[in-house]
Amino acid sequence: MGLPLRITYNDQDYVYQIIDSKIINQYTTELQLIVNGEKIALIKNDQRVWVQKDEQKSLDPDLVQALGRSVSLRLRM
């Protein structure tokens, strides 16, 4: 796990960490993150949009997309 990263979405700050960023490359379609202390999984669907894999801890779909884009930009996916 790396350093805590921060994203602001709808005037609210979220702190997240990428789990095992060493296996992420430009072909990665699944991410594991810890967002505000909760573990979530994101997948990139057929429309190349990041969505939440498990719906148990449901987040706003736009927040999930923003998290996926943030990771993609940071790791040059």
Side-chain angles (χ1 to χ4, degrees):
M1 239 181 310
L3 295 172
L5 304 170
R6 184 181 302 246
I7 187 171
T8 302
Y9 176 75
N10 280 346
D11 296 327
Q12 188 172 1
D13 288 333
Y14 295 90
V15 176
Y16 69 95
Q17 288 180 307
I18 303 167
I19 299 173
D20 203 10
S21 63
K22 295 177 185 173
I23 62 169
I24 296 175
N25 60 27
Q26 63 187 8
Y27 304 110
T28 301
T29 59
E30 187 169 336
L31 298 172
Q32 300 254 339
L33 303 175
I34 297 177
V35 179
N36 290 341
E38 295 182 17
K39 185 175 178 180
I40 64 165
L42 307 180
I43 57 171
K44 192 181 281 191
N45 65 12
D46 295 335
Q47 291 84 25
R48 307 210 22 98
V49 175
W50 290 103
V51 294
Q52 192 171 353
K53 184 176 180 180
D54 57 346
E55 297 294 327
Q56 294 173 354
K57 302 170 193 133
S58 184
L59 295 176
D60 180 13
D62 291 332
L63 172 60
V64 171
Q65 177 66 16
L67 286 166
R69 278 185 294 183
S70 176
V71 172
S72 296
L73 290 172
R74 290 179 189 273
L75 298 180
R76 298 183 181 183
M77 293 173 63

